[in-house]
Amino acid sequence: MRTKLVAGNWKMNTTPEEGQKLASEVVNMVKDELNREVQVVLAPPFTHLHQVSRLIGDAKHITLAAQNVSEHEKGAYTGEISVGMLKAVGVKWVILGHSERREYFKESNQQLAKKLDAVLAGGLQPIFCCGEPLEVREKEDQNGYVQRQLEESLFHLSEEQMRKVVIAYEPIWAIGTGKTASDEQAQEMHAHIRQQLAGKWGQNLANEIRILYGGSVKPDNAKNLFAKPDVDGGLVGGASLKSRDFMDIIKGAI
Ligand code: 13P
């Protein structure tokens, strides 16, 4: 049985004060309302990590993520943040390869392979994002496109390393657009991803890996998406900035 996971990617939103308020609301709601096994992950901006880490404390169910990390350990990389720095402030997860990082910061599949290595070597867990742009979906080439992302970034990992990875399928045309993939489209791609994992590492491992859906997940569509057999939770952007909405999405995973 795969434990469902719901992660909130705040992106470049909230002041530290707003972030503090949002995180404490989520921590309290999870404490009061979540009585079943769901993992909740919060991914605030770097500047808020320390404070949100303290707010989470030893709260059951909730852990902390960063939205990106350098592939380098330390040194002259102005503006970058290392795995060691993240660990020191209580981070457990790192989102890697978000489409916004691929598009605006030109992160390639090859660079992401290195970031994955750094994250895993440091003992953190990656949430590895993949997903196709609209023009690829229109040509119905989404399966091949996502398969390439997996092959070029993940396929060098050992079985033991792969066990630590969570995959997030985020079709770019559904991110921040209010246009979510249908439950069937999500299920179809998640099954395809799981099949690729099985081909590479075997069916047992493929059955263990969690595959999240991201792209306009909202309280009113979360339950149906998460009910699909290969959808193991969500990576939520906009709706994770409102504690009530985020909590209702988490409840969709119960
Ligand atoms: P939205 O939920 O705002 O569409 O964003 C999805 C996303 O990019 C999460 O990483």
Side-chain angles (χ1 to χ4, degrees), residues 71-134:
E71 66 268 39
H72 302 291
E73 207 179 310
K74 61 176 176 180
Y77 301 101
T78 302
E80 292 290 279
I81 303 276
S82 74
V83 168
M85 294 170 189
L86 296 181
K87 278 172 74 174
V89 294
V91 167
K92 305 284 183 225
W93 301 85
V94 185
I95 298 173
L96 287 180
H98 192 282
S99 62
E100 287 148 17
R101 295 221 52 90
R102 293 173 185 266
E103 184 181 349
Y104 307 136
F105 304 99
K106 306 293 168 237
E107 290 191 3
S108 65
N109 292 341
Q110 289 70 23
Q111 185 186 12
L112 290 166
K114 292 188 190 146
K115 291 194 178 206
L116 275 151
D117 291 342
V119 164
L120 290 164
L124 297 180
Q125 284 195 261
I127 298 176
F128 175 77
C129 304
C130 57
E132 79 287 352
L134 183 61

Side-chain angles (χ1 to χ4, degrees), residues 9 11 98 100 170 174-177 214-218 235-239:
N9 175 10
K11 308 192 181 182
H98 192 282
E100 287 148 17
E170 300 204 305
I175 296 178
T177 56
S216 300
V217 177
K218 304 280 181 251
L235 181 55
V236 187

